[in-house]
Amino acid sequence: MADRKLLEVMKGQNAFPPPVWMMRQAGRYLPEYREMRKRAGSFLDLCYNPDFAVEVTLQPIRRFGFDAAILFSDILVIPHALGRDLRFEEGVGPLMTPLDENDVSTLDSSHLHHRLSPVYETVRRVRKELPSETTLIGFCGAPWTVATYMIAGRGTPDQAPARLFGYKSPEAFAQLLDVIASCSADYLIRQIDAGADVVQIFDSWAGVLDEVSFERWCVRPVAEIVKRVRKKHPHVPIIGFPKGAGSLYADYRERTGVTALGLDWTVPMEAAQILQKAGPVQGNLDPMRLLAGGRALEEGVDAILAGLGGGPLIFNLGHGITPQTPIEHVERMVKKVREARQ
Ligand code: 1CP
């Protein structure tokens, strides 16, 4: 495993040019993904059928030679495995029956690993098929972000339904976060058992909370997951991505104990450099720069390499790639990062 560059960075070493991968690198911007999606039928069939999921995980590695593959699945398989209904509608996204206060005690984790076993099988098969120098990243959603979808029943612009639920029913909300955290920790442990080298916790909606709620609903449950994963797998690096955490990023690293911080593109360079002094960072090109291409892309990549290339850095986007992004722009980004000289 010594040749996995991303793992060296996770130990705090500086690698230049930095390892590179992209959040949402398996997805609709790839024609081979769209083809596989059509064959699978539904999005969930894609996630739960290892034949499809392995293939889709490997597609971006074959095409671009990224330093890391990320398991193909979704953060919402956890509520689904807890017995909540879930479907993905073309052009809309995930749809679930909104969860109310009385539903919390009905969440049933007794079939969790049975239902998620195809995901573990995918991890095992991907690890076998990946080149030895490629890191395999497993993942889960952070409890707060997963809860926002369970409560609203869909994606929302400001996560108002979940914020309101948290303030009006604090006990039920705390119980909900506990259940998700405990299942997510077990889920990550099983992914690591199956061959994941690193895990990432996606907290896509961390940026809408006030300071107290951020501590209570983002930091605490993630700290619990980190503690439980470390107990079983003390040396496996954990990336935390509290998107939009702004001035609370430093606190988040300190209090959750994550190994590396995923930075969104709004983090100013000077702040990113300070965060990098305490440990590895990942990010943070604006996905719109990648979509635009040309000067916007060149200047964005240059700024990250110049500002963060001197320390432990994993080059990535500041959030997921968008479906309209031209493949040539991704090729250009990877080439530019790989050919960079200090
Ligand atoms: O129709 C399709 O093909 C569905 C599009 C799609 C894809 C490709 C969805 C629906 N999920 C995924 C895969 C996925 N989701 C991965 C695979 C690995 C990779 O990165 O290549 C990962 C890591 C996720 C994680 C995920 N799902 C997050 C966290 C990251 C982020 O982007 O913020 C979130 C919030 C979700 C929920 C979700 N699933 C799918 C959609 C469209 C959404 C977002 C809904 C919304 O707008 O709120």
Side-chain angles (χ1 to χ4, degrees):
M1 257 206 258
D3 51 355
R4 287 180 200 153
K5 198 175 188 179
L6 195 141
L7 296 179
E8 297 304 312
V9 172
M10 286 297 188
K11 290 178 195 147
Q13 290 169 20
N14 175 8
F16 200 91
V20 52
W21 69 282
M22 294 188 311
M23 288 187 276
R24 296 290 188 102
Q25 64 190 18
R28 283 170 295 174
Y29 74 106
L30 288 177
E32 58 269 37
Y33 170 86
R34 294 196 297 269
E35 173 61 34
M36 197 55 75
R37 170 88 156 81
K38 239 190 272 158
R39 276 175 52 195
S42 77
F43 176 74
L44 280 175
D45 289 329
L46 204 55
C47 294
Y48 290 137
N49 181 331
D51 289 338
F52 291 128
V54 169
E55 184 53 30
V56 166
T57 304
L58 295 172
Q59 283 172 348
I61 308 305
R62 292 197 194 109
R63 203 185 250 276
F64 307 109
F66 288 122
D67 292 279
I70 181 160
L71 160 71
F72 189 83
S73 181
D74 195 79
I75 62 168
L76 299 178
V77 297
I78 287 287
H80 194 227
L82 284 169
R84 304 302 294 171
D85 66 324
L86 170 66
R87 63 198 168 88
F88 286 84
E89 199 153 295
E90 202 76 55
V92 179
L95 291 175
M96 313 174 81
T97 301
L99 172 134
D100 67 31
E101 211 181 322
N102 301 319
D103 294 326
V104 175
S105 59
T106 69
L107 295 171
D108 175 11
S109 63
S110 58
H111 306 292
L112 191 80
H113 296 306
H114 174 68
R115 290 187 177 149
L116 296 172
S117 60
V119 178
Y120 309 140
E121 175 64 18
T122 299
V123 173
R124 266 190 294 278
R125 281 161 58 175
V126 169
R127 186 58 275 174
K128 266 197 218 125
E129 292 197 29
L130 272 182
S132 76
E133 70 273 16
T134 311
T135 301
L136 176 55
I137 303 176
F139 74 93
C140 70
W144 158 248
T145 288
V146 172
T148 66
Y149 290 95
M150 293 174 80
I151 290 165
R154 60 196 308 143
T156 46
D158 53 6
Q159 295 70 54
R163 283 153 56 208
L164 194 60
F165 188 116
Y167 294 124
K168 284 179 121 173
S169 313
E171 284 86 20
F173 195 61
Q175 198 190 335
L176 174 62
L177 294 177
D178 275 353
V179 173
I180 304 171
S182 146
C183 294
S184 302
D186 290 344
Y187 179 52
L188 292 181
I189 288 168
R190 297 274 181 133
Q191 291 181 38
I192 297 167
D193 292 341
D197 306 302
V198 171
V199 291
Q200 173 156 329
I201 303 172
F202 285 91
D203 215 344
S204 308
W205 303 126
V208 299
L209 296 174
D210 66 34
E211 191 177 358
V212 171
S213 310
F214 180 83
E215 163 65 28
R216 208 170 277 159
W217 299 341
C218 288
V219 171
R220 267 194 228 163
V222 170
E224 180 61 25
I225 295 175
V226 170
K227 191 176 91 190
R228 291 180 55 159
V229 172
R230 288 261 162 80
K231 199 166 161 204
K232 181 80 198 298
H233 292 290
H235 304 299
V236 171
I238 303 173
I239 307 169
F241 177 49
K243 180 175 177 286
S247 58
L248 298 172
Y249 258 111
D251 259 18
Y252 176 92
R253 169 160 18 218
E254 213 170 286
R255 296 189 197 181
T256 60
V258 294
T259 319
L261 271 185
L263 307 181
D264 67 75
W265 68 90
T266 69
V267 176
M269 183 53 72
E270 211 183 308
Q273 288 167 335
I274 293 169
L275 291 169
Q276 196 187 37
K277 289 203 168 75
V281 293
Q282 172 175 284
N284 67 341
L285 186 75
D286 182 350
M288 289 306 120
R289 285 189 183 267
L290 184 63
L291 176 56
R295 256 188 74 188
L297 174 58
E298 305 292 317
E299 138 194 304
V301 173
D302 284 339
I304 294 168
L305 293 174
L308 299 171
L313 169 69
I314 299 154
F315 193 96
N316 204 317
L317 305 178
H319 197 198
I321 181 172
T322 54
Q324 308 76 17
T325 307
I327 281 166
E328 310 80 69
H329 294 185
V330 179
E331 288 167 348
R332 175 64 193 146
M333 180 190 82
V334 173
K335 186 163 188 285
K336 198 169 162 66
V337 172
R338 290 262 162 82
E339 290 178 355
R341 295 286 166 268
Q342 242 165 352

